[in-house]
Amino acid sequence: MNEGAPSSGRPSAPAPPIARLIEALHKLPGIGPKSAQRLTYYLLRAPEAEARALAQAVIELKEKIILCSLCQNVTEVDPCGVCSDPQRDRSTICVVEEPLDILALERSRGYHGLYHVLHGTISPMEGVGPEDLKLDELVARLRNGAVQEVIMATNPNLEGEATAMYVSRLLAPLGVRVTRLARGLPTGADLEYADDVTLARALEHRQEVS
Ligand SMILES: [Zn+2]
């Protein structure tokens, strides 16, 4: 008991295993330092099985998830569930930036075709060029002539628009119709956060990329 003793001036840091988890969680999007601390101390108190299940889920995520060789979406089996589903309309491919965007479009229930994930957008500022996106894979899927329309569902911001324009020019020689989601999506917002009705409407009123 050091009550009344002069303070050493330096607050004591948490034990290294605690500090390590706080730091790892803090790196996750949307997790600030306070949340990282809260989650860490929650796991410290949680039953052993719960903490182990979380760790195991993270390991399996990295070990078992691959990219679908057709649409480039994340999947455990190749081809993925959408690409191998005979009910999907094979004449349309909806092009998105990230796998998460597919979840948003599926939730809207307004789309029944196939997808293609670019895994990014053209962004000179961040040094991302067309060669960094899954564009060769997209072109390869259009070669057999079965696909009649490509819907560009990149985000309604500068990079998303530039990417849509680039892809439409790239595909022009192939004679495929290229459309863009209708306006109405909040500009600058991510597809991921659009509500289902807005997204379904944007799909329904899609327009030719000029
Ligand atoms: Zn697929």
Side-chain angles (χ1 to χ4, degrees), residues 22-93:
I22 291 174
E23 200 186 319
L25 290 169
H26 183 26
K27 283 186 185 157
L28 301 177
I31 307 284
K34 287 264 171 61
S35 295
Q37 285 173 10
R38 226 175 1 248
L39 289 168
T40 299
Y41 281 91
Y42 167 81
L43 285 167
L44 207 52
R45 281 192 314 266
E48 171 105 16
E50 190 179 331
R52 278 193 183 279
L54 175 66
Q56 191 56 33
V58 174
I59 290 167
E60 284 191 17
L61 185 74
K62 301 311 279 185
E63 280 179 356
K64 296 193 173 166
I65 297 301
I66 51 170
L67 295 187
C68 171
S69 57
L70 295 171
C71 71
Q72 311 299 317
N73 191 13
V74 286
T75 177
E76 195 181 353
V77 288
D78 184 23
C80 73
V82 171
C83 287
S84 57
D85 182 351
Q87 309 282 2
R88 307 291 301 209
D89 170 13
R90 279 163 201 283
S91 69
T92 316
I93 290 182

